[in-house]
């Protein structure tokens, strides 16, 4: 009715002399137009069409009675707005000021989504539009199958144009023609509303530990830049939960908080809860700040209720600024392990780190130089070590690093480089009775010579790049007296093949002279696919045992590193990295696959890790995981996920899902099983059912590819 009013306003002005003084323009086309100035009457008949500001009106006859200030429209009437909102009707009558009127046998389509069909549509006060004996649906209806997937039948629907809300009276929800739900009153936003307070679509969930329950979220708009969602969740086994999510955007950042409070009898305590908060902000002088807070009442709560699979919580704050030649960073982290085998009193729980790094080009010697200062410390909660094993040890460290590198490119394309680095690390050790010192300073020099020869070959079919690399590295043969706490987990991969030290932290530094050798090959095909290969190893001046055995880095010659990547356009990506000894026995292998097509997508990973007690892995690890989805038809999609442990010969997690989606509804059904157990959680099965209906609010749930099509 509002659309109709907009175009008819121009028609009223066409019938008066006021048009000359108004900034209004409209095009009126008809087979015949009759205007009487004596009676101020205008009648347009036969294929009448009015165009104004992207709005199109069609009718068989339109007349304006100036004496009675009345507009009459004889249909079929068709009105379409630029945003896609459409009106169909047989007859219409409106007052001259367009504030009141009626349409009969009318149908309205809001924003190409929600359809309202009514015996009569009445407009009052210029704000409210009332639909009598109405059917509402966003589903396509075909002549061969006139029953929509869902519809809401109501005695009356009132649309508030100012608040952009739809009010249903005596409403019945029907699915495939069968009534499934009745309510005397229902309020929903119209399709133009981006955000509105009200109930969101519920979710039915069944869990082996919790029982059957329904989650019914309620959304609160808190102004233009904030909102709150509260979700009560009550289950048949006596669990009562209130979930919450709060979001707010500022001109200088944003914040989001997720949490829940539960009363049940599954844990040690009856009241259980968790809170996750994260945010990011822009600070003065181009600094950025991020933070997150992770709190939970007991170790099993997150996993039992499906909020998170994390077994270690980290609450942290970071303030940093990165420029082309400068980095400033401050980090403060609090850790809490949820594993029952870990005592949080005897592991570092508070870790602080401040870094200043700057690089520059020395004018006298050329090349690129950098300087770094770092202040680091961690603290354990334990204040006394009764076992005399360092379980109460606290550490503070101040480090300085100077680095210089210069490259020379020969006329034949060879590249020679020299690089040096000097590390100075000063430690203060507290509460460790095993060491005879409280302070120690370690000086670690490095020097390297490097040769590379990138070779390029281009053909009509492909571009080939082959690059052999040889790097000679020297560092002093010295073991640090401090315990290694930040470099326990070591990776040997193509990213650190040519680094001074393959230890990820500072407490341990790679010692001795060594030769890092490797070769990379890349093929780029014009058809859009590429292949990359890297092979390398480390040769030492003598056999050493600095690293965990499973890394393949010990001995006089390390194991072979073999890495490969195959990429086909944006749809296929396969990465594999393996560590092999001279007898081609695999000590470590990792594979990742991502593959997507028009009807499917697949993600998979496989890992094989040799047992190594030095890193807390007493048995071999061999596990495969994948998740994928296949679009069976236009509307049906099947998904699944699986995680299988070959070493234990058991499935750790499995799930399957089925989704139906068309232009007016989405139904998601999922079934999953967690097979793992511990002292705080047991294996459980989880079932979930959620339904969404399109047409209420501006956010759609489907696209053209999901829209149903009529036959014939």
């Amino acid at each position: 009715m509002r659309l109709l009013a907009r175009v008819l306003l121009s028609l009223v002005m066409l019938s008066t002399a006021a048009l000359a003084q108004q900034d209004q323009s409209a095009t009126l086309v008809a087979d015949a137009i009759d205007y009487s100035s004596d009676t101020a009457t205008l009648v347009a008949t036969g294929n009448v069409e009015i165009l104004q500001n992207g709005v199109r009106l069609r009718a068989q006859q339109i007349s304006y009675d100036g004496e009675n200030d009345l507009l009459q429209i004889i249909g079929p009437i068709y009105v379409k707005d630029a945003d896609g909102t459409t009106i169909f009707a047989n007859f219409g009558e409106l007052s001259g000021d367009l504030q009141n009127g009626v349409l009969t046998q009318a149908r309205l389509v809001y924003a190409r989504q929600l359809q309202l069909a009514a015996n009569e549509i009445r407009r009052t006060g210029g704000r409210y539009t009332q639909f009598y004996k109405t059917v509402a649906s966003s589903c396509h209806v075909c002549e061969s199958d006139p029953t929509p997937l869902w519809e809401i039948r109501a005695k009356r629907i009132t649309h508030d144009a100012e608040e952009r809300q739809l009010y249903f009276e005596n409403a019945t929800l029907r699915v495939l023609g069968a009534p499934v739900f009745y309510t005397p009153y229902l309020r929903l936003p119209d399709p133009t509303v981006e955000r509105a307070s009200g109930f969101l679509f519920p979710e039915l969930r069944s869990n082996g530990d919790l029982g059957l329950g329904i989650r019914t979220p309620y959304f609160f708009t808190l102004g233009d830049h904030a909102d709150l969602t509260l979700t009560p969740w009550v289950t048949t086994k006596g669990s009562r939960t209130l979930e919450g999510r709060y979001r707010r955007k500022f001109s200088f950042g944003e914040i989001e908080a997720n949490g829940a409070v539960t009363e049940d009898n599954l844990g040690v305590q009856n009241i259980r809860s968790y809170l996750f908060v994260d945010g990011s902000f822009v600070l003065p002088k181009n600094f950025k700040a991020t933070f997150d807070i992770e709190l939970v009442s007991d170790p099993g709560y997150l996993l039992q209720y499906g909020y998170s699979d994390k077994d270690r919580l980290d609450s942290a704050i970071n303030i940093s600024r990165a420029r082309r030649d400068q980095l400033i960073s401050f980090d403060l982290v609090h850790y809490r392990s949820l594993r029952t085998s870990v005592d949080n009193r005897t592991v570092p729980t508070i870790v602080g780190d401040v870094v200043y790094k700057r690089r520059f080009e020395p004018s006298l010697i050329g090349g690129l130089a950098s300087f770094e200062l770092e202040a680091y410390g961690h603290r354990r909660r334990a204040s006394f070590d009764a076992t005399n094993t360092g379980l109460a040890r606290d550490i503070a460290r101040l480090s300085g690093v100077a680095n210089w590198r210069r490259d020379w490119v020969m006329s034949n394309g060879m590249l020679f480089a020299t690089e040096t680095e000097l590390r100075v690390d000063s430690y203060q050790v507290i509460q460790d009775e095993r060491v005879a010192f409280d302070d120690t300073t370690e000086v670690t020099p490095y020097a390297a010579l490097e040769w590379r020869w990138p070779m390029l070959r281009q053909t009509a079919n492909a571009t080939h790049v082959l690059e052999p690399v040889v790097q000679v590295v020297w560092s002093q043969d010295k073991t640090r007296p401090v315990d290694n706490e930040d470099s326990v987990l070591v990776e040997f991969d193509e990213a650190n093949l040519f680094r001074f030290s393959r230890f990820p932290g500072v407490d341990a530094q790679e010692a001795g002279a060594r030769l890092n050798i490797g070769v990379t090959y890349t093929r780029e095909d014009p058809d859009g696919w590429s292949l990359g290969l890297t092979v390398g190893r480390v040769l030492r001046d003598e056999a050493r045992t600095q690293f965990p055995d499973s890394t393949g880095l010990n001995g006089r010659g390390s194991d072979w590193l073999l890495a490969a990547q195959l990429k086909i356009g944006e749809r296929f990506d396969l990465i594999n990295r393996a560590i092999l000894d001279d007898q081609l026995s695999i000590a470590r292998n990792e594979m990742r696959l991502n593959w997507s097509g028009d009807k499917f997508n697949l993600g998979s990973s496989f890992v094989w890790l040799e047992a190594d007690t030095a890193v807390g892995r007493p048995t071999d690890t061999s596990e495969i995981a994948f998740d994928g989805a296949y679009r069976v038809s236009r509307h049906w999609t099947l998904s699944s996920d699986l995680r299988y442990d070959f070493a234990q010969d058991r499935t750790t997690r499995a799930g399957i899902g089925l989704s139906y989606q068309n232009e007016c509804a989405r139904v998601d059904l999922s079934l999953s099983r967690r097979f793992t157990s511990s002292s705080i959680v047991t294996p459980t099965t989880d079932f979930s059912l959620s339904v969404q209906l399109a047409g209420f609010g501006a956010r759609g749930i489907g696209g053209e590819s999901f829209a149903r099509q009529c036959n014939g």
Side-chain angles (χ1 to χ4, degrees), residues 663-685:
E663 77 286 346
C664 64
R666 179 186 176 98
V667 181
D668 290 299
L669 180 68
S670 66
L671 180 67
S672 63
R673 172 75 175 174
R674 176 172 49 80
F675 296 88
T676 56
S677 62
S678 67
S679 60
I680 56 176
V681 294
T682 58
T684 187
T685 300

Side-chain angles (χ1 to χ4, degrees), residues 7 43 60 107 141 159 234 258 269 277 283 320 323 349 365 401 465 512 564 583 619 631 643 683 685 704:
V7 295
V43 178
Q60 285 301 308
R107 182 164 63 94
V141 178
H159 179 234
V234 180
N258 291 272
Q269 53 200 74
V277 184
L283 302 179
S320 63
R323 293 178 173 174
T349 54
I365 59 176
V401 183
V465 178
Q583 290 74 40
T619 60
R631 191 168 174 181
R643 186 179 293 272
T685 300
E704 291 298 325

